[in-house]
């Protein structure tokens, strides 16, 4: 069973400066809650019960957010603010724990994931990159399907979506053994390469930031030398895994928002604000008035 998820949150978020100077970028709000809560909730809905943050000393606000704030809860209870109290308590649903490990040096995404090895052990696990929000409203959730696929077939699942040719050099890009799967389906991969030059990309299918991987990848990461950008790349470890075990590309159904840059972050705010259960109507009217 896939019960663990690794969330690498140690990065400084330079693309979100100055907002991210003294607040972790993952704590910047999307409407009324920090972006990281959306990602943790997505993991929990997929059946994850152990969230492993790979963090940094400057980013303890993230751990604090998922901790109990006893005095605050007491005060809300005393004042009869039951709805707010329930919302605060629901930040981390019952039965889910958050564990934090440190990434002492910024050596890349593969290195960050490897920092969680002592907690992951040999178990399969999900990786969620917290810059990317995935909205599957009204559809079966992508991460949940990836977990079910892994559990049924034992093949690692790498979520992909097509990007325009001029952007392939910004992502991990996969090659498939045969046809591109329909949305919500997986297909065997033959290769994956990190940020290829535009004329060398094997396809336009980009790695989105959701993975379900066997524990075996940890041993591979420990042996993976620095790759693109001089960093230890998760993509390179997946390429090695491919030589030994089945790895599938999962074609996502939902929609992604890259909150690691200002335009993507704003788009996520518009999107989630417009369909917020309490604020949505007001927000849509505000947006119409601003146009
Ligand atoms: C990372 C991964 C890359 C993936 C991307 C998705 O890159 O290394 O393979 O496509 O996330 O957002 P980064 O955006 O950290 O440079």
């Amino acid at each position: 069973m896939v019960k663990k998820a690794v969330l690498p949150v140690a990065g400084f978020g330079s693309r979100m400066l100055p907002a991210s100077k003294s607040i972790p970028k993952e704590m910047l709000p999307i409407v009324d809650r920090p972006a990281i809560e959306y990602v943790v909730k997505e993991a929990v809905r997929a059946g994850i019960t152990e969230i492993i943050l790979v963090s940094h000393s400057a980013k303890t606000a993230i751990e604090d957010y998922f901790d109990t704030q006893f005095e605050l809860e007491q005060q809300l209870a005393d004042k009869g603010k039951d709805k707010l109290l329930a919302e605060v308590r629901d930040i981390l649903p019952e039965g889910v724990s958050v564990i934090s490990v440190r990434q002492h040096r910024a050596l890349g995404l593969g290195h960050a994931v490897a920092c969680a090895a002592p907690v992951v052990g040999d178990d399969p696990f999900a990786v969620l990159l917290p810059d990317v929000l995935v909205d599957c409203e009204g559809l079966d959730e992508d991460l949940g399907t990836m977990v079910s696929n892994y559990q049924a077939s034992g093949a690692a699942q790498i979520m992909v979506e097509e990007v325009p040719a001029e952007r392939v050099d910004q992502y991990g890009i996969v090659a498939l053994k045969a046809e591109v799967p329909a949305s919500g389906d997986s297909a065997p991969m033959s290769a994956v390469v990190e940020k290829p030059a535009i004329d060398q990309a094997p396809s336009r299918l980009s790695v989105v930031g959701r993975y379900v991987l066997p524990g075996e990848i940890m041993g591979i990461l420990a042996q993976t030398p620095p790759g693109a950008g001089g960093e230890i790349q998760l993509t390179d470890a997946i390429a090695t895994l491919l030589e030994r075990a089945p790895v599938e590309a999962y074609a996502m159904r939902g929609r992604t928002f890259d909150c690691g840059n200002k335009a993507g972050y704003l788009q996520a705010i518009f999107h989630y604000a417009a369909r917020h259960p309490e604020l949505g109507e007001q927000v849509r009217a505000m947006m119409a008035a601003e146009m």
Side-chain angles (χ1 to χ4, degrees), residues 3 40 71 92 108 164 167 182 231 261 268:
K3 291 285 163 199
V40 167
E71 284 157 307
L92 190 66
R167 285 175 47 209
E231 298 189 332
N261 72 75

Side-chain angles (χ1 to χ4, degrees), residues 23-278:
I23 296 173
K25 65 174 191 249
E26 296 81 3
M27 291 300 292
L28 295 174
I30 306 288
V31 193
D32 57 356
R33 59 205 63 228
I36 189 78
E37 186 183 326
Y38 291 79
V39 180
V40 167
K41 289 269 167 67
E42 177 193 345
V44 170
R45 287 192 303 272
I48 301 296
T49 54
E50 227 174 277
I51 304 287
I52 305 160
L53 301 172
V54 180
S55 194
H56 180 274
S57 58
K59 304 191 79 174
T60 52
I62 302 175
E63 291 154 58
D64 293 346
Y65 185 71
F66 291 102
D67 195 0
T68 307
Q69 240 270 40
F70 179 75
E71 284 157 307
L72 171 69
E73 291 192 11
Q74 193 61 52
Q75 202 180 82
L76 293 173
D78 291 346
K79 292 189 172 161
K81 296 188 171 174
D82 298 339
K83 187 167 174 285
L84 268 181
L85 179 61
E87 267 194 77
V88 165
R89 286 192 172 147
D90 182 59
I91 290 171
L92 190 66
E94 194 87 18
V96 181
S97 55
V98 172
I99 294 159
S100 174
V101 296
R102 291 282 169 91
Q103 185 183 17
H104 300 287
R105 290 197 291 160
L107 299 180
L109 175 60
H111 176 257
V113 171
C115 290
V119 189
V120 168
D122 295 331
D123 295 335
F125 62 104
V127 176
L128 292 87
L129 305 190
D131 277 353
V132 182
L133 299 191
V134 176
D135 186 21
C136 293
E137 211 208 357
L139 305 166
D140 283 344
E141 291 223 30
D142 287 316
L143 190 65
T145 308
M146 291 168 72
V147 166
S148 311
N149 288 356
Y150 178 86
Q151 279 164 185
S153 69
Q157 303 287 312
I158 316 295
M159 188 157 94
V160 299
E161 75 177 338
E162 215 167 83
V163 288
E166 64 274 16
R167 285 175 47 209
V168 290
D169 58 354
Q170 297 170 25
Y171 300 94
I173 299 291
V174 312
L176 300 176
K177 288 191 175 159
E179 308 269 285
V180 176
S183 294
D185 287 341
S186 296
M189 271 166 55
S190 56
V192 58
V193 36
E194 182 69 13
K195 302 191 174 79
I198 293 174
D199 57 356
Q200 275 160 34
S203 78
R204 291 200 286 120
L205 290 176
S206 73
V207 174
V208 174
R210 299 293 183 269
Y211 313 73
V212 179
L213 299 167
E216 188 187 346
I217 196 97
M218 290 299 189
I220 297 174
L221 279 168
Q223 308 285 325
T224 301
E231 298 189 332
I232 298 171
Q233 297 291 352
L234 181 57
T235 305
D236 293 342
I238 295 169
T240 305
L241 180 69
L242 257 169
E243 293 163 11
R244 312 179 185 172
V247 179
E248 293 180 349
Y250 168 81
M252 69 179 302
R253 302 185 181 95
R255 180 168 170 198
T256 53
F257 298 92
D258 181 2
C259 294
N261 72 75
K262 291 176 187 178
Y265 171 69
L266 287 175
Q267 196 181 13
I269 293 179
F270 292 148
H271 176 80
Y272 286 99
R275 40 162 272 220
H276 189 281
E278 282 148 35

